[in-house]
Amino acid sequence: MHGAAAPAAEDEYHDDVFPNVDAPDDGTPWQAPADLEEHLYELCEADDGYTYLRAIAITGLYRPVSVADIEPGATDRPVLTVDLPDGRRIAQMYTVGLLPRPHPEVVYEFVTLGTLAAELPDDIDILVVNAATPCQQFYLTTEEERDVWADLHADHYVDGRLHDRIDTRRTGAPESPVLLHGLACGAHLCFANGDAWNTLDWHGAGHNSEVERLAEWWGVHSREDWLGTQERLLSREVSPWYWDFVLGARTSLIEQFGPRVDPELWRQCVEVTIRNRMA
């Protein structure tokens, strides 16, 4: 593998750098992590590489990048590649449902099929999507093939088209009901961004885009900013007082009437309490 950082000790970091998913040994259908990967698996079974390309033209892919290549001052982010015995070079890309848990030495950047058509280095001979999984697919990176990628991107990719939707992982989700309840509390944000709500192995819109989001929406520009924001969140110093007030009214109603709170009763409780306090 070219461009990757040196491997860390096994007792220090986990080794889930790339996905490695085996097909069932008994011949039963593979349980894909989400709708997209199930669709791609069906297309692989049907040997329909063109429709497979069309699907990933809509959704985009994620490419691994060594953390060493995104340090401050780094101007180039080389594509991680693998050399075949015959000298050809492979680049690995993945759909979001198959990305492994975050790793301290490798991050994943979002990339469209159109960007790959224009910017994938010429010394890469093969593109493999979802390598070492039951829905892997290989493509040559010839000029004619890149033209197909560019056309599919122009026809099908729309920025933000996959936002405002519920995405639920079928595999890889935590089993703890308490943890799932906690994740569900932030599901509205996942809905808005089109991300899976029930997973901890989260890469969002790709490393660079997530860094930009943190800077724009939270004012986080450094590790110190991040730790400070986490402390404020844990101390409930981020939400405005009226959010806490409205949620406190709901908690009070739950104590009186049980867990199923009537929305109209909740609204009346908040309004009456505020009017009484003003009086």
Side-chain angles (χ1 to χ4, degrees), residues 155-238:
D155 290 342
H156 298 289
Y157 183 78
V158 178
D159 188 31
R161 74 181 296 176
L162 298 179
H163 291 179
D164 296 330
R165 67 188 180 106
I166 297 176
D167 186 14
T168 302
R169 292 289 168 81
R170 300 170 186 168
T171 62
E175 297 181 358
S176 166
V178 176
L179 184 53
L180 286 172
H181 181 84
L183 291 173
C185 290
H188 58 295
L189 295 176
C190 295
F191 174 86
N193 294 325
D195 297 320
W197 69 270
N198 64 331
T199 180
L200 298 174
D201 302 338
W202 191 79
H203 297 265
H207 176 81
N208 189 58
S209 294
E210 291 303 319
V211 169
E212 293 176 353
R213 280 182 179 178
L214 285 172
E216 178 180 0
W217 293 102
W218 291 89
V220 172
H221 300 274
S222 64
R223 174 177 172 82
E224 289 71 24
D225 291 343
W226 168 261
L227 293 175
T229 299
Q230 290 294 311
E231 187 62 36
R232 290 170 56 216
L233 285 167
L234 292 172
S235 302
R236 297 193 301 175
E237 298 175 357
V238 174

Side-chain angles (χ1 to χ4, degrees), residues 4-27:
E10 290 184 2
D11 60 349
E12 186 176 3
Y13 298 140
H14 67 81
D15 58 359
D16 302 335
V17 180
F18 302 125
N20 190 353
V21 181
D22 295 327
D25 293 332
D26 58 4

Side-chain angles (χ1 to χ4, degrees), residues 50-250:
Y50 180 80
T51 307
Y52 190 112
L53 275 175
R54 186 167 58 189
I56 62 177
I58 295 172
T59 62
L61 295 168
Y62 290 78
R63 73 178 185 94
V65 177
S66 170
V67 169
D69 295 326
I70 61 173
E71 293 296 331
T75 57
D76 186 24
R77 298 182 179 184
V79 176
L80 295 183
T81 60
V82 175
D83 288 343
L84 296 178
D86 62 8
R88 289 184 298 173
R89 181 165 291 180
I90 292 181
Q92 301 166 213
M93 311 284 168
Y94 301 91
T95 54
V96 63
L98 284 167
L99 293 181
R101 53 182 170 158
H103 192 276
E105 294 175 350
V106 174
V107 297
Y108 284 84
E109 293 284 18
F110 178 78
V111 62
T112 67
L113 199 57
T115 299
L116 289 177
E119 300 181 7
L120 194 66
D122 293 336
D123 63 346
I124 294 176
D125 304 290
I126 299 172
L127 170 67
V128 55
V129 180
N130 293 336
T133 75
C135 62
Q136 71 177 2
Q137 190 76 10
F138 294 83
Y139 297 96
L140 297 176
T141 61
T142 61
E143 183 177 347
E144 294 79 6
E145 183 68 27
R146 291 174 188 249
D147 289 341
V148 173
W149 301 354
D151 290 342
L152 287 172
H153 171 81
D155 290 342
H156 298 289
Y157 183 78
V158 178
D159 188 31
R161 74 181 296 176
L162 298 179
H163 291 179
D164 296 330
R165 67 188 180 106
I166 297 176
D167 186 14
T168 302
R169 292 289 168 81
R170 300 170 186 168
T171 62
E175 297 181 358
S176 166
V178 176
L179 184 53
L180 286 172
H181 181 84
L183 291 173
C185 290
H188 58 295
L189 295 176
C190 295
F191 174 86
N193 294 325
D195 297 320
W197 69 270
N198 64 331
T199 180
L200 298 174
D201 302 338
W202 191 79
H203 297 265
H207 176 81
N208 189 58
S209 294
E210 291 303 319
V211 169
E212 293 176 353
R213 280 182 179 178
L214 285 172
E216 178 180 0
W217 293 102
W218 291 89
V220 172
H221 300 274
S222 64
R223 174 177 172 82
E224 289 71 24
D225 291 343
W226 168 261
L227 293 175
T229 299
Q230 290 294 311
E231 187 62 36
R232 290 170 56 216
L233 285 167
L234 292 172
S235 302
R236 297 193 301 175
E237 298 175 357
V238 174
S239 302
W241 68 269
Y242 42 85
W243 288 10
D244 290 334
F245 175 76
V246 171
L247 292 175
R250 183 177 185 276

